[in-house]
Amino acid sequence: MADFHDIIVVGAGTAGMTAALYALRNGKSVLVLESESMGGQIAFSPKVENFPSHKSVSGAELADMMYDQISELGAEIELEKALSVTKNGEGNFTVKTEYGDHDGMAVIIATGVRHRNIGVDGEEELIGKGVSYCATCDGPFYAGEEVALIGDGNTALQYAVMLSGYCKKVTVCTLFDRFFGEARLVKTLKSKENVEIVHNVSLQKFVTADGKLSALAFKKTTDGADFVLPTRAVFICVGQIPANEAFADLVKLDDKGFIVAEEDCKTDCDGVFAAGDCRTKKVRQLTTAAADGAIAAVNACAYIDAL
C-alpha cells in the first residue's frame, strides 16, 4: 500500500523546498521527492549575492539551510525520480517513482530546468574539463584568462558581462547576426573593451589536448570559412530545457515544454500546482522561485481545505 501525505512536492530546489516550508507551517504533511541533489541548480553556485538577508553565501550553504529548515519541521524527503502523476479523483493523486507509489491530496511540481547541450561530439566528456553551462559557477576558475561564450539570449549576455569583470578577454560567439536579449544588456556588453563579438559562426568541433579543451573549431555561416578560437574554457548558453516529460499527460505544457501556469501557480488540473523555473514565466531567479514555492503551497493548502 502506498504511503499518504497531504502534499507531494516533486523537486527539492528553492521552489520545492520553499513550498514544503509553507505547507508544513500550514499544518500539512509533506513528502519531497528529488531525483538528483538537494537544492537544484543553486547548489552548484559558489557564491549567491542576490538573495535577501544574505550579503554573500554559497549555493551549497543556502541549500543546506533550506533542507535543515524543512527537515526540522517534519518534511519527509526521498531521493526518488517521479515517473508519472495520476489523478484518481478530487484530493487523490498517485506519484509513481522507480521505487514505488506515493499518494497525496495535492501535488506541487517544482522540477526546474536543465541546460540545453549544443550537440557537438565530445561535449559530455568535456564537462568540467573546459566546457561549462554556468558562468556563475565556473567562471572564477578562469579569472585572468581568455574564455569563450556561445549564445545570444539574456542569459548569455549576462554571463558575458559578468565574465568580462575578471577574465582577460571574453569572445562571444553567436549563430546568427544579432543578439536576441535586452537592448540594455547588449549595449553594456558592447561597451566592454575586453569583449570581442563574433557573429554568424556555427560550432563544429571541440579541440582537445591531454583530455581537456584547447580550442573551438567554428564554420562561418556566411561563407563557410573555418574559424578556430584557442581557449581553455567555453560557456555554452543556448537555452534551458524543462524536465516535465513525466507530467505531459497530466497538465498542459507549452511548445517549449514548460508547464502552463500563471502567477497563482495553478495548472489546468485541479490540485496540481507548478512552481519555479519549470513553469511558464519571464523571470527565472532564485527569489522568484522562492515566491512561486510560497504561492503554490498556500494555494495547495487552500485547495485541500476546501475539499
Side-chain angles (χ1 to χ4, degrees), residues 212-296:
K212 296 181 180 180
L213 181 70
S214 62
L216 302 169
F218 292 93
K219 186 175 289 294
K220 294 184 178 180
T221 60
T222 50
D223 57 12
D226 293 328
F227 168 64
V228 177
L229 176 64
T231 185
R232 291 182 59 246
V234 60
F235 297 90
I236 298 173
C237 310
V238 292
Q240 297 174 318
I241 303 173
N244 295 325
E245 299 89 348
F247 319 114
D249 294 332
L250 178 74
V251 295
K252 183 179 179 180
L253 308 182
D254 71 3
D255 58 354
K256 294 181 180 179
F258 292 94
I259 297 173
V260 176
E262 299 300 327
E263 297 304 310
D264 59 8
C265 296
K266 295 180 180 179
T267 71
D268 63 336
C269 180
D270 287 342
V272 179
F273 305 83
D277 290 358
C278 68
R279 78 169 180 89
T280 50
K281 59 192 302 185
K282 292 184 178 180
V283 181
R284 292 184 169 86
Q285 292 291 315
L286 194 60
T287 48
T288 61
D292 276 7
I295 293 167

